[in-house]
Amino acid sequence: MVRVADQHLPQRCHVQQDNPKKGASADRYDTYKHARTLQEILDLGGSRGDIANDVVRGYIVVDDPEVHEAILLTANESERKRLPQHLQAKLPPAGE
């Protein structure tokens, strides 16, 4: 799973306002979609897993492109296929 380091939590971000989720995750999304930082997402009831999932899918965009990329570059093998091609090229081969 994509990892969000503690030092990235204060980063400003934008959360897609159209809720793309269903079920319990949709309920959580509705509570944190107005957050302005990654920490605020957690404070409003989201989880690090929610942040990871939503960053990979493009529902959350961190304002600082370097931090956004740094988070995406922690993707595991199954998440890599969702990353933009230019980021996939920066990742080490799977299994390394």
Side-chain angles (χ1 to χ4, degrees):
M1 176 180 286
V2 168
R3 290 176 296 284
V4 181
D6 288 343
Q7 74 258 26
H8 295 149
L9 292 177
Q11 291 292 317
R12 294 188 59 77
C13 64
H14 287 87
V15 182
Q16 175 182 309
Q17 294 303 293
D18 246 0
N19 187 338
K21 300 186 175 194
K22 297 179 188 252
S25 63
D27 294 340
R28 282 194 314 277
Y29 193 93
D30 279 332
T31 66
Y32 67 74
K33 71 181 184 181
H34 299 292
R36 287 180 248 148
T37 67
L38 298 175
Q39 180 62 55
E40 195 172 343
I41 291 170
L42 298 177
D43 295 345
L44 293 172
S47 68
R48 285 181 187 252
D50 290 325
I51 294 171
N53 178 68
D54 295 352
V55 169
V56 168
R57 286 170 176 73
Y59 307 151
I60 295 173
V61 177
V62 178
D63 289 0
D64 183 330
E66 289 182 13
V67 172
H68 188 82
E69 184 173 306
I71 292 169
L72 287 173
L73 288 175
T74 66
N76 66 29
E77 194 171 335
S78 67
E79 294 166 326
R80 291 176 177 208
K81 62 184 174 220
R82 293 186 177 273
L83 297 180
Q85 195 64 35
H86 75 281
L87 290 179
Q88 289 182 22
K90 292 182 178 185
L91 291 167
E96 286 188 18

